[in-house]
């Protein structure tokens, strides 16, 4: 069985931050840590660690509960906190760690022709 991955939120693809780390320093600098509890940050760190270059991963609830030593209630609450904080997107079975830039924020630096076309096509390309 081959799982076909798809980006859940193309406007919020992660980019390597200027300090060259997948864990963006703005999580601390912009007080994102006050938005969620410890179990949510445990889930976030795990997802950021296992995600591909687009921020995608697909671990089952059973696997996450086992690896993170959480029950279903705690996992669900943690996921909900991260979604509400705008840090992840989730559509079973896919998780996407999101960029910290809000949707529609001006980009710094050049934009690719492909990205311009994707925007013109409403995200479809």
């Amino acid at each position: 069985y081959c799982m076909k991955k798809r980006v859940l939120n193309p406007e919020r693809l992660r980019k390597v931050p200027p300090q060259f780390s997948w864990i963006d320093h703005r999580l601390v600098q912009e007080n994102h840590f006050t938005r969620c509890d410890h179990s949510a940050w445990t889930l976030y760190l795990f997802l950021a660690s296992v995600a591909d270059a687009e921020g995608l991963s697909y671990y089952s609830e059973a696997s996450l509960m086992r690896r993170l030593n959480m029950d279903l209630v705690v996992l669900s609450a943690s996921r909900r906190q991260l979604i509400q904080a705008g840090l992840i997107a989730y559509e079973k079975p896919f998780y996407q760690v999101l960029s910290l830039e809000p949707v529609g924020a001006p980009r710094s630096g050049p934009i690719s022709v492909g990205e311009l076309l994707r925007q013109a096509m409403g995200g479809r390309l």
Side-chain angles (χ1 to χ4, degrees), residues 9-29:
N9 190 335
E11 294 89 25
R12 300 269 313 272
L13 280 178
R14 305 194 293 178
K15 296 172 235 33
V16 177
Q19 74 278 355
F20 197 75
S21 166
W22 274 122
I23 306 298
D24 196 317
H25 291 189
R26 290 177 297 168
L27 287 170
V28 174
Q29 294 165 347

Side-chain angles (χ1 to χ4, degrees), residues 33-98:
F33 284 108
T34 62
R35 298 180 186 177
C36 302
D37 67 19
H38 294 96
S39 60
W41 288 112
T42 299
L43 176 59
Y44 182 86
L45 179 60
F46 182 85
L47 295 173
S49 298
V50 300
D52 67 11
E54 296 175 313
L56 294 172
S57 61
Y58 53 95
Y59 276 77
S60 69
E61 288 181 334
S63 180
L64 288 170
M65 289 186 301
R66 186 176 59 254
R67 289 174 177 266
L68 302 176
N69 195 26
M70 292 181 180
D71 62 27
L72 184 57
V73 172
V74 173
L75 176 63
S76 297
S78 298
R79 181 173 49 229
R80 195 170 34 258
Q81 286 178 46
L82 294 171
I83 292 168
Q84 290 172 345
L87 297 169
I88 67 166
Y90 175 71
E91 190 174 305
K92 192 175 185 177
F94 296 108
Y95 287 87
Q96 181 183 349
V97 176
L98 301 174

Side-chain angles (χ1 to χ4, degrees), residues 7-11 114-125:
V7 173
L8 303 177
N9 190 335
E11 294 89 25
E115 182 61 24
L116 285 172
L117 290 172
R118 192 175 356 275
Q119 289 176 9
M121 299 293 293
R124 298 179 313 268
L125 190 68

